[in-house]
Amino acid sequence: VLGTFAKSQVQKIPPEIQVNKWLDKAVEFYDNSKYDSAWIYSEKAENYSRENQFPRGIIQSLVSKIDIQIDEDELVDASKNANEALKLAEKNADLYLISIVNMQLGQINLYSNKFEAALPYFEKSIKNYFSHHPSSAAALAYNDYAYTLGLLGENDQKADNLLLALRIHEKLNPVNNQEIAVVLNNLSSLYYEIGQNDKAIDYAKQSLVYREKAGDNSALALGYCNICQMFRNIDLDEVEKYQKLCVKYAELSQNEDRILHSYITSALVSSDKNDLENAMIYEQKVIDILEKKQYNPNMLSRRYLSMAMHAMKLEKDSTTILNYLKKSKVNALKINDKQNLRDINFQYYIYYEKQKEFEKSLNYYRNSIAYRDSLVNENTQSNIAELEKKYQTEKKDFEIVQ
């Protein structure tokens, strides 16, 4: 009798308690990159939710699985789960989960190099929920939306959304060290791209403070590699210091992406020292990995372009140079990468000018200018400056209120 009574009491426990317990375990394993274990607990939560007809638990479990699949680059399966989760969330009119899944669909398209397709999903998640409900998830939506806009050449909108993400993070308690570091790093990268190195380095150093607190070797490798590149042509001692840290933490992380980044950084440092043969060795290592993985045409295009530039400086044969340029262009065209296409056309212009084929040279120069003008307008940098000024004022107001 007592056993029967106890069993009946267990069955009366609301399903969300058991589901949340399993999902909390999944998050714990996910945060430590133990994806197999995270998947097991997500699956348990999903199966239990289905058995107990608990729709919100099903959606939450699918969201957990989607995060794992995105990190594991299983984007097709992630998309299937996201579409199912979105239908269930819409059926249950759960605005929070609708926005979470829309953000995930944006991420799936972003990491599938479908940048324009990603934008509406991020915009829906922000407009319908996150713009009115600041949270770590909201900051992530703004950050990833900004990153996508940047890839499409919209630097002013990128800055706007990154500053919104930063504002949210700084108001959260406790601060998420990893996530705020990501936003600061992206701001650093943006200012580096538009040639404002002092601001780029300042944001990079702020980012590293949070990365060191988080103790994530992969993230530290990324941060050290980035700041190493920013000190190029400024301070060679700083370059060498950060390059060593970049390689050290990349190797400790055993993360292939970070190792790739450390090779690229090493290639750039070798190039700065005018050791172009060594730079090409590092670049070829990167190309070999990227060709094998076949997942990042943007980076692959850039590496082939670097090889072409080094080959020209070393006065290698025309077949070698044109082959590198062709491969760079093919990969850039796959995703309509305007920044790379601008630079590729400019290198074609330089090559044909040296060959004294002036008509071809002029055409490629015009193409390069056309891509440049489509990426940057005269007001971009001033707009970004105004946005930062507005943010700094609001930040001071917040500190006084605190």
Side-chain angles (χ1 to χ4, degrees):
V1 176
L2 286 173
T4 303
F5 175 76
K7 184 176 180 181
S8 69
Q9 292 302 304
V10 171
Q11 290 174 337
K12 289 180 182 179
I13 295 173
E16 58 262 32
I17 293 177
Q18 182 61 66
V19 169
N20 288 338
K21 181 179 178 182
W22 280 328
L23 290 178
D24 285 345
K25 288 294 292 182
V27 169
E28 183 182 333
F29 283 116
Y30 173 83
D31 286 345
N32 288 286
S33 301
K34 296 179 179 178
Y35 298 124
D36 289 343
S37 298
W39 185 269
I40 288 169
Y41 281 99
S42 300
E43 188 104 294
K44 282 184 178 182
E46 182 186 355
N47 292 337
Y48 184 84
S49 296
R50 292 188 188 278
E51 289 168 6
N52 288 273
Q53 298 182 336
F54 178 38
R56 197 168 203 274
I58 298 170
I59 302 163
Q60 290 174 307
S61 303
L62 288 171
V63 164
S64 181
K65 292 171 88 170
I66 294 161
D67 278 340
I68 296 165
Q69 288 170 323
I70 289 173
D71 272 25
E72 293 278 74
D73 204 31
E74 297 170 359
L75 300 180
V76 174
D77 290 335
S79 181
K80 290 176 183 176
N81 279 328
N83 286 320
E84 181 186 355
L86 185 59
K87 287 178 183 177
L88 286 170
E90 288 174 342
K91 184 178 179 181
N92 284 274
D94 191 319
L95 290 178
Y96 170 72
L97 287 175
I98 289 170
S99 295
I100 288 288
V101 179
N102 270 315
M103 177 176 68
Q104 288 180 319
L105 283 163
Q107 292 169 335
I108 290 164
N109 280 280
L110 167 61
Y111 300 136
S112 299
N113 297 313
K114 299 175 182 176
F115 307 138
E116 291 180 359
L119 291 179
Y121 291 111
F122 289 126
E123 288 164 356
K124 286 178 191 175
S125 72
I126 291 168
K127 180 180 178 182
N128 296 336
Y129 190 86
F130 290 136
S131 61
H132 309 296
H133 299 85
S135 65
S136 183
L140 178 60
Y142 279 113
N143 177 79
D144 289 0
Y145 180 45
Y147 185 77
T148 308
L149 288 165
L151 291 170
L152 292 168
E154 301 290 345
N155 281 338
D156 51 348
Q157 292 185 58
K158 178 180 179 179
D160 188 7
N161 284 279
L162 284 175
L163 291 170
L164 285 169
L166 183 59
R167 185 182 301 116
I168 291 169
H169 273 303
E170 292 188 331
K171 292 182 180 181
L172 294 178
N173 186 20
V175 171
N176 186 320
N177 291 320
Q178 289 181 316
E179 294 297 332
I180 194 171
V182 169
V183 176
L184 288 163
N185 179 70
N186 287 340
L187 277 165
S188 173
S189 297
L190 170 60
Y191 283 108
Y192 179 68
E193 287 170 10
I194 63 174
Q196 296 187 23
N197 283 354
D198 289 344
K199 287 184 178 180
I201 290 169
D202 180 54
Y203 278 120
K205 287 182 176 179
Q206 289 183 54
S207 177
L208 281 168
V209 170
Y210 288 103
R211 293 196 192 282
E212 286 165 358
K213 288 179 182 178
D216 184 331
N217 288 332
S218 178
L220 279 167
L222 174 65
Y224 284 127
C225 286
N226 283 348
I227 199 168
C228 173
Q229 293 189 34
M230 290 171 195
F231 273 107
R232 294 169 58 214
N233 303 319
I234 297 175
D235 188 329
L236 288 178
D237 290 337
E238 291 291 286
V239 169
E240 290 185 11
K241 178 180 80 175
Y242 287 120
Q243 182 199 4
K244 289 176 182 176
L245 289 167
C246 160
V247 174
K248 172 187 173 181
Y249 284 103
E251 290 174 349
L252 285 173
S253 74
Q254 297 182 330
N255 181 311
E256 192 172 66
D257 288 335
R258 297 286 70 79
I259 292 168
L260 279 171
H261 194 192
S262 70
Y263 285 159
I264 292 168
T265 302
S266 297
L268 290 170
V269 171
S270 294
S271 178
D272 290 343
K273 294 177 178 178
N274 207 31
D275 187 355
L276 301 186
E277 293 288 1
N278 198 45
M280 291 185 78
I281 290 171
Y282 278 114
E283 293 285 10
Q284 189 60 55
K285 287 181 180 180
V286 175
I287 287 170
D288 290 343
I289 295 171
L290 292 174
E291 287 285 13
K292 184 178 179 181
K293 291 173 73 74
Q294 284 293 312
Y295 85 111
N296 195 329
N298 169 277
M299 187 185 293
L300 189 54
S301 172
R302 202 71 190 172
R303 287 0 305 155
Y304 275 123
L305 181 59
S306 292
M307 291 289 270
M309 293 168 68
H310 293 328
M312 276 194 272
K313 288 180 181 178
L314 291 168
E315 298 183 346
K316 293 188 180 289
D317 61 273
S318 294
T319 301
T320 298
I321 295 167
L322 291 173
N323 185 49
Y324 287 139
L325 286 172
K326 180 182 177 181
K327 288 181 177 180
S328 179
K329 186 176 180 180
V330 166
N331 280 282
L333 287 170
K334 285 180 182 178
I335 54 171
N336 191 28
D337 186 335
K338 293 181 181 179
Q339 289 183 334
N340 276 349
L341 288 167
R342 174 198 62 195
D343 297 340
I344 292 162
N345 277 281
F346 191 75
Q347 292 304 317
Y348 268 118
Y349 150 68
I350 291 173
Y351 171 77
Y352 282 114
E353 187 178 53
K354 287 182 177 178
Q355 300 299 313
K356 302 191 183 301
E357 296 186 44
F358 298 116
E359 187 174 347
K360 281 186 178 181
S361 177
L362 181 59
N363 285 336
Y364 280 115
Y365 179 76
R366 287 171 176 163
N367 289 342
S368 176
I369 295 299
Y371 278 115
R372 183 199 68 186
D373 290 344
S374 71
L375 283 167
V376 181
N377 61 60
E378 293 179 359
N379 296 322
T380 296
Q381 291 196 33
S382 60
N383 287 344
I384 291 172
E386 285 300 313
L387 285 164
E388 189 182 37
K389 182 179 178 182
K390 178 181 175 185
Y391 165 71
Q392 292 293 349
T393 302
E394 292 180 4
K395 180 181 176 184
K396 288 174 185 175
D397 290 341
F398 174 68
E399 289 173 347
I400 292 168
V401 171
Q402 266 194 321

